Amino acid sequence: MQEAEIYLFLGPEAGEKNEAIENMRKNAEKKNGQVDFYKYFVADIRVQDVVAQLQNESLFASALFIVLRNAELIKSKTDIEALSIWAKGASSSANTLVLVSDENSIEKKLESLVPSGHKKVFWEMFDNRKEQWLRDYFRKNGFGIQQEAIEQILDMVENNTESLKNECSKFFYCFPHNYTVTLKDVDKILSHNREENAFTLFEAMADKSQSQTERFETCLEILQKIRLSKDSSGVMLIAGLTYCFRQLREWHALHSKSPSPTDLQLKQAGFSGKMNQARYKNAASVWGAGVTSSIIALLSATDIAIREGGQQLEDTRLIMMLYSIIIKKGLFCASYEK
Protein backbone atom coordinates (compact mmCIF):
# COMPACT_ATOMS: atom_id res chain seq x y z
CA MET A 1 0.00 0.00 0.00
CA GLN A 2 1.33 3.42 -0.95
CA GLU A 3 2.25 5.66 1.99
CA ALA A 4 0.54 9.03 2.48
CA GLU A 5 2.56 12.05 1.38
CA ILE A 6 2.97 13.44 4.90
CA TYR A 7 6.47 14.34 6.09
CA LEU A 8 8.06 15.59 9.30
CA PHE A 9 11.21 17.74 9.27
CA LEU A 10 12.65 18.58 12.69
CA GLY A 11 15.71 20.28 14.13
CA PRO A 12 17.47 23.66 14.26
CA GLU A 13 19.37 23.56 10.92
CA ALA A 14 17.07 25.80 8.85
CA GLY A 15 19.16 25.99 5.68
CA GLU A 16 19.37 22.26 4.95
CA LYS A 17 15.75 21.86 5.99
CA ASN A 18 14.58 24.51 3.52
CA GLU A 19 16.70 22.97 0.75
CA ALA A 20 15.09 19.58 1.38
CA ILE A 21 11.60 21.10 1.21
CA GLU A 22 12.42 22.90 -2.03
CA ASN A 23 13.78 19.69 -3.59
CA MET A 24 10.60 17.87 -2.58
CA ARG A 25 8.48 20.59 -4.14
CA LYS A 26 10.41 20.37 -7.41
CA ASN A 27 10.06 16.58 -7.42
CA ALA A 28 6.32 16.93 -6.85
CA GLU A 29 6.11 19.22 -9.89
CA LYS A 30 8.03 16.74 -12.04
CA LYS A 31 5.73 13.94 -10.92
CA ASN A 32 2.37 15.74 -10.99
CA GLY A 33 2.75 18.75 -13.26
CA GLN A 34 1.45 22.03 -11.88
CA VAL A 35 1.45 22.11 -8.07
CA ASP A 36 -0.10 24.76 -5.83
CA PHE A 37 2.36 25.66 -3.06
CA TYR A 38 1.26 27.02 0.33
CA LYS A 39 3.21 27.84 3.50
CA TYR A 40 1.42 28.30 6.82
CA PHE A 41 2.31 28.81 10.48
CA VAL A 42 0.29 26.92 13.08
CA ALA A 43 -0.24 30.10 15.09
CA ASP A 44 -1.83 31.85 12.08
CA ILE A 45 -4.24 29.20 10.76
CA ARG A 46 -6.57 26.50 12.04
CA VAL A 47 -5.18 23.02 11.48
CA GLN A 48 -8.64 21.81 10.48
CA ASP A 49 -8.69 24.42 7.68
CA VAL A 50 -5.42 22.99 6.36
CA VAL A 51 -6.90 19.50 6.46
CA ALA A 52 -10.00 20.71 4.61
CA GLN A 53 -7.77 22.23 1.92
CA LEU A 54 -5.91 18.92 1.54
CA GLN A 55 -9.16 16.98 1.32
CA ASN A 56 -10.78 19.33 -1.22
CA GLU A 57 -7.63 19.40 -3.36
CA SER A 58 -7.09 22.09 -6.02
CA LEU A 59 -9.35 23.27 -8.81
CA PHE A 60 -6.53 24.56 -11.00
CA ALA A 61 -3.56 22.28 -10.26
CA SER A 62 -3.01 18.54 -10.21
CA ALA A 63 -1.69 18.59 -6.64
CA LEU A 64 -1.19 20.65 -3.48
CA PHE A 65 2.08 21.07 -1.60
CA ILE A 66 1.57 22.50 1.89
CA VAL A 67 4.27 23.34 4.43
CA LEU A 68 2.97 23.74 7.99
CA ARG A 69 5.55 25.30 10.31
CA ASN A 70 5.74 25.31 14.13
CA ALA A 71 4.28 21.80 14.19
CA GLU A 72 5.29 21.48 17.87
CA LEU A 73 2.25 23.65 18.65
CA ILE A 74 -0.19 21.03 17.33
CA LYS A 75 -1.32 19.34 20.53
CA SER A 76 -5.13 19.24 20.61
CA LYS A 77 -6.86 15.90 20.17
CA THR A 78 -9.25 17.39 17.59
CA ASP A 79 -6.43 18.65 15.34
CA ILE A 80 -4.48 15.39 15.54
CA GLU A 81 -7.60 13.34 14.77
CA ALA A 82 -8.35 15.53 11.74
CA LEU A 83 -4.81 15.02 10.41
CA SER A 84 -5.06 11.29 11.14
CA ILE A 85 -8.27 10.95 9.12
CA TRP A 86 -6.66 12.73 6.16
CA ALA A 87 -3.41 10.73 6.39
CA LYS A 88 -5.25 7.38 6.48
CA GLY A 89 -7.21 8.22 3.35
CA ALA A 90 -4.49 10.07 1.47
CA SER A 91 -2.50 7.13 0.08
CA SER A 92 -4.02 7.64 -3.37
CA SER A 93 -3.71 11.44 -3.28
CA ALA A 94 -0.95 13.48 -4.89
CA ASN A 95 -1.20 16.15 -2.20
CA THR A 96 1.78 16.62 0.10
CA LEU A 97 1.89 17.92 3.67
CA VAL A 98 5.24 18.77 5.28
CA LEU A 99 5.18 19.36 9.04
CA VAL A 100 8.13 21.49 10.16
CA SER A 101 9.50 22.30 13.60
CA ASP A 102 12.75 23.72 14.97
CA GLU A 103 12.36 21.38 17.93
CA ASN A 104 13.77 17.84 17.95
CA SER A 105 10.40 16.20 18.62
CA ILE A 106 6.67 16.95 18.56
CA GLU A 107 3.51 15.45 20.06
CA LYS A 108 3.99 11.66 19.90
CA LYS A 109 0.49 10.94 18.53
CA LEU A 110 1.08 13.45 15.76
CA GLU A 111 4.54 12.07 14.99
CA SER A 112 3.09 8.55 14.74
CA LEU A 113 1.01 9.66 11.72
CA VAL A 114 4.20 10.12 9.69
CA PRO A 115 5.79 7.03 8.05
CA SER A 116 9.24 6.34 9.50
CA GLY A 117 10.91 6.92 6.14
CA HIS A 118 9.32 10.37 5.90
CA LYS A 119 10.92 11.75 9.08
CA LYS A 120 14.22 13.56 9.36
CA VAL A 121 15.96 15.62 12.05
CA PHE A 122 18.21 18.38 10.71
CA TRP A 123 20.81 18.75 13.43
CA GLU A 124 22.93 21.84 13.95
CA MET A 125 26.29 21.51 12.23
CA PHE A 126 29.38 20.71 14.28
CA ASP A 127 31.95 23.50 14.48
CA ASN A 128 34.48 21.79 12.23
CA ARG A 129 31.77 21.19 9.64
CA LYS A 130 30.63 24.83 9.77
CA GLU A 131 34.14 26.05 8.99
CA GLN A 132 34.43 23.70 6.01
CA TRP A 133 30.91 24.60 4.84
CA LEU A 134 31.82 28.30 4.82
CA ARG A 135 35.10 27.70 3.02
CA ASP A 136 33.31 25.61 0.37
CA TYR A 137 30.51 28.16 0.02
CA PHE A 138 32.97 30.96 -0.76
CA ARG A 139 34.96 28.72 -3.12
CA LYS A 140 31.84 27.67 -5.08
CA ASN A 141 31.02 31.33 -5.59
CA GLY A 142 34.56 32.14 -6.79
CA PHE A 143 36.00 33.62 -3.59
CA GLY A 144 38.62 32.75 -1.01
CA ILE A 145 38.42 33.45 2.71
CA GLN A 146 40.97 33.63 5.52
CA GLN A 147 40.65 31.40 8.61
CA GLU A 148 40.33 34.42 10.93
CA ALA A 149 37.49 35.74 8.76
CA ILE A 150 35.69 32.38 9.00
CA GLU A 151 35.93 32.40 12.80
CA GLN A 152 34.65 35.98 12.94
CA ILE A 153 31.65 35.19 10.73
CA LEU A 154 30.73 32.18 12.86
CA ASP A 155 30.91 34.39 15.95
CA MET A 156 28.59 36.99 14.45
CA VAL A 157 25.99 35.04 12.46
CA GLU A 158 23.16 32.80 13.67
CA ASN A 159 24.16 29.16 13.73
CA ASN A 160 22.44 27.73 10.63
CA THR A 161 23.26 27.66 6.93
CA GLU A 162 20.24 29.78 5.97
CA SER A 163 21.54 32.74 7.98
CA LEU A 164 25.12 32.12 6.88
CA LYS A 165 24.09 32.19 3.21
CA ASN A 166 22.12 35.42 3.65
CA GLU A 167 25.00 37.20 5.38
CA CYS A 168 27.89 35.84 3.31
CA SER A 169 26.22 36.65 0.00
CA LYS A 170 26.86 40.34 0.83
CA PHE A 171 30.57 39.83 0.16
CA PHE A 172 29.89 38.69 -3.40
CA TYR A 173 28.38 42.08 -4.26
CA CYS A 174 31.15 44.10 -2.60
CA PHE A 175 34.32 42.48 -3.95
CA PRO A 176 35.57 41.26 -7.37
CA HIS A 177 35.63 37.62 -8.41
CA ASN A 178 38.58 35.57 -7.02
CA TYR A 179 38.96 37.99 -4.09
CA THR A 180 40.04 36.57 -0.69
CA VAL A 181 37.89 37.89 2.17
CA THR A 182 39.85 39.04 5.23
CA LEU A 183 39.01 39.69 8.88
CA LYS A 184 39.01 43.43 8.14
CA ASP A 185 36.43 42.86 5.37
CA VAL A 186 34.15 40.98 7.78
CA ASP A 187 34.29 43.84 10.28
CA LYS A 188 33.55 46.33 7.51
CA ILE A 189 30.70 44.46 5.81
CA LEU A 190 28.99 42.62 8.65
CA SER A 191 29.76 44.70 11.74
CA HIS A 192 29.08 48.13 10.25
CA ASN A 193 26.03 46.99 8.33
CA ARG A 194 24.72 44.53 10.88
CA GLU A 195 20.99 44.39 11.28
CA GLU A 196 19.59 44.12 14.78
CA ASN A 197 18.24 40.70 15.74
CA ALA A 198 17.79 38.41 18.73
CA PHE A 199 21.56 37.83 18.97
CA THR A 200 22.57 41.50 18.97
CA LEU A 201 19.78 42.08 21.50
CA PHE A 202 21.20 39.33 23.73
CA GLU A 203 24.65 40.95 23.59
CA ALA A 204 23.18 44.31 24.60
CA MET A 205 21.24 42.72 27.45
CA ALA A 206 24.51 41.29 28.81
CA ASP A 207 26.60 44.44 28.33
CA LYS A 208 28.25 44.97 31.73
CA SER A 209 29.69 48.32 30.70
CA GLN A 210 26.22 49.81 31.18
CA SER A 211 24.00 50.01 34.24
CA GLN A 212 20.76 48.00 34.33
CA THR A 213 18.75 51.09 33.42
CA GLU A 214 21.07 51.97 30.53
CA ARG A 215 20.95 48.40 29.25
CA PHE A 216 17.18 48.42 29.39
CA GLU A 217 17.00 51.69 27.43
CA THR A 218 19.49 50.41 24.84
CA CYS A 219 17.54 47.17 24.45
CA LEU A 220 14.28 49.05 23.97
CA GLU A 221 15.91 50.93 21.06
CA ILE A 222 17.12 47.64 19.55
CA LEU A 223 13.67 46.10 20.03
CA GLN A 224 12.10 49.03 18.20
CA LYS A 225 14.51 48.59 15.25
CA ILE A 226 13.73 44.87 15.11
CA ARG A 227 9.98 45.50 15.21
CA LEU A 228 10.33 47.94 12.29
CA SER A 229 12.38 45.48 10.22
CA LYS A 230 11.22 42.70 7.92
CA ASP A 231 11.93 40.14 10.67
CA SER A 232 9.54 41.76 13.15
CA SER A 233 7.87 38.62 14.52
CA GLY A 234 7.84 38.56 18.31
CA VAL A 235 7.66 34.78 18.26
CA MET A 236 10.82 34.52 16.13
CA LEU A 237 12.59 37.04 18.37
CA ILE A 238 11.76 34.96 21.44
CA ALA A 239 12.96 31.82 19.65
CA GLY A 240 16.35 33.47 19.04
CA LEU A 241 16.65 34.66 22.64
CA THR A 242 15.64 31.22 23.90
CA TYR A 243 18.48 29.69 21.87
CA CYS A 244 20.94 32.16 23.44
CA PHE A 245 19.79 31.48 27.00
CA ARG A 246 19.82 27.71 26.43
CA GLN A 247 23.42 28.10 25.27
CA LEU A 248 24.08 30.11 28.43
CA ARG A 249 22.60 27.25 30.46
CA GLU A 250 25.04 24.90 28.69
CA TRP A 251 27.87 27.30 29.57
CA HIS A 252 26.94 27.16 33.25
CA ALA A 253 26.63 23.35 33.15
CA LEU A 254 30.05 23.02 31.50
CA HIS A 255 31.73 25.29 34.05
CA SER A 256 30.07 23.54 36.97
CA LYS A 257 31.83 20.34 35.89
CA SER A 258 35.14 22.02 35.05
CA PRO A 259 35.79 25.58 36.33
CA SER A 260 38.44 26.12 33.63
CA PRO A 261 37.43 24.08 30.55
CA THR A 262 39.95 23.75 27.74
CA ASP A 263 39.42 25.26 24.28
CA LEU A 264 38.63 21.77 23.00
CA GLN A 265 35.95 21.28 25.66
CA LEU A 266 34.46 24.69 24.85
CA LYS A 267 34.39 23.92 21.12
CA GLN A 268 32.82 20.52 21.70
CA ALA A 269 30.09 22.23 23.75
CA GLY A 270 29.36 24.70 20.93
CA PHE A 271 31.45 27.67 22.08
CA SER A 272 34.01 28.10 19.33
CA GLY A 273 35.73 31.42 18.69
CA LYS A 274 37.03 33.97 21.18
CA MET A 275 34.18 36.41 20.59
CA ASN A 276 31.56 33.74 21.20
CA GLN A 277 33.30 32.59 24.38
CA ALA A 278 33.61 36.19 25.61
CA ARG A 279 29.91 36.74 24.87
CA TYR A 280 28.80 33.88 27.10
CA LYS A 281 31.42 34.62 29.75
CA ASN A 282 29.95 38.11 30.08
CA ALA A 283 26.40 36.78 30.09
CA ALA A 284 27.28 34.22 32.78
CA SER A 285 28.50 37.00 35.05
CA VAL A 286 25.17 38.81 34.61
CA TRP A 287 22.83 35.82 34.98
CA GLY A 288 23.66 32.82 37.16
CA ALA A 289 22.52 29.27 36.43
CA GLY A 290 19.31 29.56 38.48
CA VAL A 291 18.39 32.93 36.96
CA THR A 292 19.07 31.56 33.47
CA SER A 293 16.54 28.77 34.03
CA SER A 294 13.99 31.33 35.25
CA ILE A 295 14.57 33.45 32.15
CA ILE A 296 14.02 30.45 29.86
CA ALA A 297 10.71 29.82 31.64
CA LEU A 298 9.81 33.51 31.25
CA LEU A 299 10.56 33.40 27.52
CA SER A 300 8.36 30.32 27.12
CA ALA A 301 5.49 31.97 29.02
CA THR A 302 5.78 35.14 26.91
CA ASP A 303 5.80 33.06 23.72
CA ILE A 304 2.59 31.30 24.75
CA ALA A 305 0.94 34.59 25.77
CA ILE A 306 1.76 36.20 22.40
CA ARG A 307 0.49 33.21 20.42
CA GLU A 308 -2.74 33.06 22.42
CA GLY A 309 -3.32 36.81 22.67
CA GLY A 310 -2.45 37.84 19.12
CA GLN A 311 -0.65 40.99 18.00
CA GLN A 312 -2.66 43.53 19.98
CA LEU A 313 -0.48 43.33 23.12
CA GLU A 314 2.64 41.90 21.49
CA ASP A 315 4.82 45.00 21.91
CA THR A 316 3.73 45.40 25.53
CA ARG A 317 4.54 41.78 26.32
CA LEU A 318 7.97 42.04 24.69
CA ILE A 319 8.81 45.21 26.66
CA MET A 320 7.68 43.56 29.91
CA MET A 321 9.80 40.54 29.01
CA LEU A 322 12.92 42.70 28.58
CA TYR A 323 12.20 44.54 31.83
CA SER A 324 11.82 41.23 33.68
CA ILE A 325 15.08 39.85 32.28
CA ILE A 326 17.27 42.96 32.66
CA ILE A 327 15.86 44.66 35.75
CA LYS A 328 14.12 41.84 37.61
CA LYS A 329 16.63 39.05 36.85
CA GLY A 330 14.04 36.78 35.26
CA LEU A 331 11.21 37.38 37.73
CA PHE A 332 7.72 37.86 36.26
CA CYS A 333 6.24 41.34 36.51
CA ALA A 334 3.10 40.96 38.62
CA SER A 335 2.25 44.67 38.55
CA TYR A 336 3.43 47.99 37.18
CA GLU A 337 6.44 49.50 38.94
CA LYS A 338 7.61 53.08 39.15
mmCIF file of all heavy atoms in Angstrom, residues 35-56:
data_model
loop_
_atom_site.group_PDB
_atom_site.id
_atom_site.type_symbol
_atom_site.label_atom_id
_atom_site.label_comp_id
_atom_site.label_asym_id
_atom_site.label_seq_id
_atom_site.Cartn_x
_atom_site.Cartn_y
_atom_site.Cartn_z
ATOM 1 N N VAL A 35 1.726 22.334 -9.495
ATOM 2 C CA VAL A 35 1.453 22.107 -8.073
ATOM 3 C C VAL A 35 1.226 23.452 -7.390
ATOM 4 O O VAL A 35 2.019 24.383 -7.554
ATOM 5 C CB VAL A 35 2.643 21.374 -7.397
ATOM 6 C CG1 VAL A 35 2.440 21.288 -5.891
ATOM 7 C CG2 VAL A 35 2.810 19.982 -7.986
ATOM 8 N N ASP A 36 0.151 23.560 -6.627
ATOM 9 C CA ASP A 36 -0.102 24.760 -5.834
ATOM 10 C C ASP A 36 0.658 24.657 -4.521
ATOM 11 O O ASP A 36 0.513 23.677 -3.786
ATOM 12 C CB ASP A 36 -1.595 24.916 -5.543
ATOM 13 C CG ASP A 36 -2.363 25.458 -6.744
ATOM 14 O OD1 ASP A 36 -1.712 25.973 -7.666
ATOM 15 O OD2 ASP A 36 -3.602 25.375 -6.753
ATOM 16 N N PHE A 37 1.493 25.679 -4.234
ATOM 17 C CA PHE A 37 2.363 25.658 -3.063
ATOM 18 C C PHE A 37 1.862 26.648 -2.024
ATOM 19 O O PHE A 37 1.599 27.814 -2.317
ATOM 20 C CB PHE A 37 3.794 26.012 -3.480
ATOM 21 C CG PHE A 37 4.760 26.120 -2.337
ATOM 22 C CD1 PHE A 37 5.071 25.010 -1.570
ATOM 23 C CD2 PHE A 37 5.366 27.329 -2.038
ATOM 24 C CE1 PHE A 37 5.970 25.104 -0.516
ATOM 25 C CE2 PHE A 37 6.261 27.435 -0.998
ATOM 26 C CZ PHE A 37 6.560 26.320 -0.226
ATOM 27 N N TYR A 38 1.718 26.171 -0.775
ATOM 28 C CA TYR A 38 1.260 27.017 0.329
ATOM 29 C C TYR A 38 2.175 26.813 1.533
ATOM 30 O O TYR A 38 2.625 25.694 1.801
ATOM 31 C CB TYR A 38 -0.173 26.680 0.741
ATOM 32 C CG TYR A 38 -1.196 26.899 -0.351
ATOM 33 C CD1 TYR A 38 -1.531 25.866 -1.229
ATOM 34 C CD2 TYR A 38 -1.822 28.132 -0.517
ATOM 35 C CE1 TYR A 38 -2.464 26.063 -2.234
ATOM 36 C CE2 TYR A 38 -2.756 28.330 -1.520
ATOM 37 C CZ TYR A 38 -3.072 27.296 -2.386
ATOM 38 O OH TYR A 38 -3.999 27.488 -3.374
ATOM 39 N N LYS A 39 2.425 27.909 2.273
ATOM 40 C CA LYS A 39 3.214 27.840 3.498
ATOM 41 C C LYS A 39 2.440 28.523 4.611
ATOM 42 O O LYS A 39 2.049 29.689 4.496
ATOM 43 C CB LYS A 39 4.578 28.519 3.305
ATOM 44 C CG LYS A 39 5.465 28.476 4.544
ATOM 45 C CD LYS A 39 6.854 28.995 4.245
ATOM 46 C CE LYS A 39 6.854 30.473 3.965
ATOM 47 N NZ LYS A 39 8.224 31.010 3.789
ATOM 48 N N TYR A 40 2.194 27.780 5.698
ATOM 49 C CA TYR A 40 1.425 28.300 6.819
ATOM 50 C C TYR A 40 2.207 28.142 8.120
ATOM 51 O O TYR A 40 3.093 27.295 8.236
ATOM 52 C CB TYR A 40 0.095 27.554 6.965
ATOM 53 C CG TYR A 40 -0.814 27.621 5.762
ATOM 54 C CD1 TYR A 40 -1.220 26.463 5.098
ATOM 55 C CD2 TYR A 40 -1.287 28.834 5.291
ATOM 56 C CE1 TYR A 40 -2.068 26.513 4.008
ATOM 57 C CE2 TYR A 40 -2.132 28.904 4.196
ATOM 58 C CZ TYR A 40 -2.526 27.731 3.556
ATOM 59 O OH TYR A 40 -3.367 27.780 2.470
ATOM 60 N N PHE A 41 1.833 28.953 9.117
ATOM 61 C CA PHE A 41 2.313 28.806 10.481
ATOM 62 C C PHE A 41 1.137 28.407 11.358
ATOM 63 O O PHE A 41 0.034 28.963 11.222
ATOM 64 C CB PHE A 41 2.934 30.110 10.992
ATOM 65 C CG PHE A 41 4.233 30.474 10.312
ATOM 66 C CD1 PHE A 41 4.224 31.164 9.105
ATOM 67 C CD2 PHE A 41 5.452 30.114 10.875
ATOM 68 C CE1 PHE A 41 5.417 31.502 8.476
ATOM 69 C CE2 PHE A 41 6.638 30.437 10.254
ATOM 70 C CZ PHE A 41 6.626 31.129 9.048
ATOM 71 N N VAL A 42 1.373 27.450 12.252
ATOM 72 C CA VAL A 42 0.285 26.920 13.075
ATOM 73 C C VAL A 42 -0.416 28.031 13.850
ATOM 74 O O VAL A 42 -1.642 28.002 14.023
ATOM 75 C CB VAL A 42 0.822 25.841 14.039
ATOM 76 C CG1 VAL A 42 -0.243 25.416 15.046
ATOM 77 C CG2 VAL A 42 1.313 24.625 13.259
ATOM 78 N N ALA A 43 0.352 29.028 14.298
ATOM 79 C CA ALA A 43 -0.241 30.103 15.090
ATOM 80 C C ALA A 43 -1.182 30.991 14.268
ATOM 81 O O ALA A 43 -2.017 31.704 14.834
ATOM 82 C CB ALA A 43 0.859 30.956 15.716
ATOM 83 N N ASP A 44 -1.065 30.937 12.937
ATOM 84 C CA ASP A 44 -1.828 31.848 12.084
ATOM 85 C C ASP A 44 -3.002 31.195 11.362
ATOM 86 O O ASP A 44 -3.740 31.879 10.641
ATOM 87 C CB ASP A 44 -0.897 32.470 11.025
ATOM 88 C CG ASP A 44 0.218 33.277 11.654
ATOM 89 O OD1 ASP A 44 0.001 33.823 12.750
ATOM 90 O OD2 ASP A 44 1.310 33.357 11.057
ATOM 91 N N ILE A 45 -3.176 29.884 11.504
ATOM 92 C CA ILE A 45 -4.241 29.200 10.763
ATOM 93 C C ILE A 45 -4.756 28.013 11.566
ATOM 94 O O ILE A 45 -4.014 27.428 12.369
ATOM 95 C CB ILE A 45 -3.718 28.717 9.382
ATOM 96 C CG1 ILE A 45 -4.874 28.282 8.482
ATOM 97 C CG2 ILE A 45 -2.684 27.617 9.543
ATOM 98 C CD1 ILE A 45 -4.458 28.020 7.044
ATOM 99 N N ARG A 46 -6.011 27.681 11.370
ATOM 100 C CA ARG A 46 -6.567 26.497 12.035
ATOM 101 C C ARG A 46 -6.096 25.243 11.310
ATOM 102 O O ARG A 46 -6.150 25.174 10.079
ATOM 103 C CB ARG A 46 -8.091 26.552 12.031
ATOM 104 C CG ARG A 46 -8.682 27.667 12.860
ATOM 105 C CD ARG A 46 -10.149 27.432 13.146
ATOM 106 N NE ARG A 46 -10.839 26.779 12.018
ATOM 107 C CZ ARG A 46 -11.880 25.966 12.163
ATOM 108 N NH1 ARG A 46 -12.356 25.694 13.362
ATOM 109 N NH2 ARG A 46 -12.470 25.435 11.100
ATOM 110 N N VAL A 47 -5.638 24.270 12.066
ATOM 111 C CA VAL A 47 -5.175 23.021 11.477
ATOM 112 C C VAL A 47 -6.282 22.355 10.672
ATOM 113 O O VAL A 47 -6.049 21.784 9.602
ATOM 114 C CB VAL A 47 -4.653 22.070 12.574
ATOM 115 C CG1 VAL A 47 -4.338 20.690 12.001
ATOM 116 C CG2 VAL A 47 -3.403 22.654 13.234
ATOM 117 N N GLN A 48 -7.522 22.436 11.174
ATOM 118 C CA GLN A 48 -8.643 21.815 10.475
ATOM 119 C C GLN A 48 -8.909 22.473 9.124
ATOM 120 O O GLN A 48 -9.398 21.816 8.197
ATOM 121 C CB GLN A 48 -9.883 21.873 11.364
ATOM 122 C CG GLN A 48 -9.747 20.994 12.607
ATOM 123 C CD GLN A 48 -10.982 21.027 13.484
ATOM 124 O OE1 GLN A 48 -12.067 20.657 13.057
ATOM 125 N NE2 GLN A 48 -10.813 21.465 14.716
ATOM 126 N N ASP A 49 -8.563 23.751 8.981
ATOM 127 C CA ASP A 49 -8.687 24.419 7.681
ATOM 128 C C ASP A 49 -7.643 23.887 6.698
ATOM 129 O O ASP A 49 -7.912 23.763 5.496
ATOM 130 C CB ASP A 49 -8.534 25.932 7.834
ATOM 131 C CG ASP A 49 -9.722 26.564 8.553
ATOM 132 O OD1 ASP A 49 -10.800 25.929 8.583
ATOM 133 O OD2 ASP A 49 -9.564 27.679 9.090
ATOM 134 N N VAL A 50 -6.455 23.582 7.208
ATOM 135 C CA VAL A 50 -5.415 22.991 6.360
ATOM 136 C C VAL A 50 -5.847 21.611 5.889
ATOM 137 O O VAL A 50 -5.698 21.254 4.712
ATOM 138 C CB VAL A 50 -4.076 22.901 7.125
ATOM 139 C CG1 VAL A 50 -3.020 22.185 6.281
ATOM 140 C CG2 VAL A 50 -3.586 24.284 7.516
ATOM 141 N N VAL A 51 -6.417 20.836 6.814
ATOM 142 C CA VAL A 51 -6.902 19.499 6.462
ATOM 143 C C VAL A 51 -8.004 19.581 5.414
ATOM 144 O O VAL A 51 -8.027 18.803 4.447
ATOM 145 C CB VAL A 51 -7.406 18.761 7.722
ATOM 146 C CG1 VAL A 51 -8.069 17.443 7.333
ATOM 147 C CG2 VAL A 51 -6.248 18.516 8.683
ATOM 148 N N ALA A 52 -8.921 20.533 5.586
ATOM 149 C CA ALA A 52 -10.003 20.709 4.612
ATOM 150 C C ALA A 52 -9.448 21.043 3.236
ATOM 151 O O ALA A 52 -9.935 20.543 2.212
ATOM 152 C CB ALA A 52 -10.954 21.809 5.093
ATOM 153 N N GLN A 53 -8.398 21.880 3.194
ATOM 154 C CA GLN A 53 -7.767 22.225 1.917
ATOM 155 C C GLN A 53 -7.140 20.995 1.273
ATOM 156 O O GLN A 53 -7.260 20.785 0.050
ATOM 157 C CB GLN A 53 -6.710 23.311 2.140
ATOM 158 C CG GLN A 53 -6.110 23.854 0.855
ATOM 159 C CD GLN A 53 -5.102 24.959 1.125
ATOM 160 O OE1 GLN A 53 -4.715 25.209 2.259
ATOM 161 N NE2 GLN A 53 -4.674 25.627 0.063
ATOM 162 N N LEU A 54 -6.510 20.155 2.056
ATOM 163 C CA LEU A 54 -5.909 18.925 1.537
ATOM 164 C C LEU A 54 -6.969 17.955 1.015
ATOM 165 O O LEU A 54 -6.784 17.286 -0.005
ATOM 166 C CB LEU A 54 -5.086 18.243 2.631
ATOM 167 C CG LEU A 54 -3.767 18.918 3.013
ATOM 168 C CD1 LEU A 54 -3.261 18.378 4.346
ATOM 169 C CD2 LEU A 54 -2.710 18.707 1.929
ATOM 170 N N GLN A 55 -8.092 17.899 1.708
ATOM 171 C CA GLN A 55 -9.160 16.981 1.316
ATOM 172 C C GLN A 55 -9.890 17.451 0.060
ATOM 173 O O GLN A 55 -10.303 16.650 -0.782
ATOM 174 C CB GLN A 55 -10.148 16.808 2.466
ATOM 175 C CG GLN A 55 -9.575 16.029 3.644
ATOM 176 C CD GLN A 55 -10.492 16.032 4.845
ATOM 177 O OE1 GLN A 55 -11.270 16.973 5.057
ATOM 178 N NE2 GLN A 55 -10.416 14.980 5.660
ATOM 179 N N ASN A 56 -10.053 18.776 -0.076
ATOM 180 C CA ASN A 56 -10.776 19.331 -1.220
ATOM 181 C C ASN A 56 -9.908 19.425 -2.465
ATOM 182 O O ASN A 56 -10.412 19.614 -3.571
ATOM 183 C CB ASN A 56 -11.310 20.732 -0.876
ATOM 184 C CG ASN A 56 -12.384 20.671 0.191
ATOM 185 O OD1 ASN A 56 -13.070 19.665 0.346
ATOM 186 N ND2 ASN A 56 -12.518 21.749 0.955
#
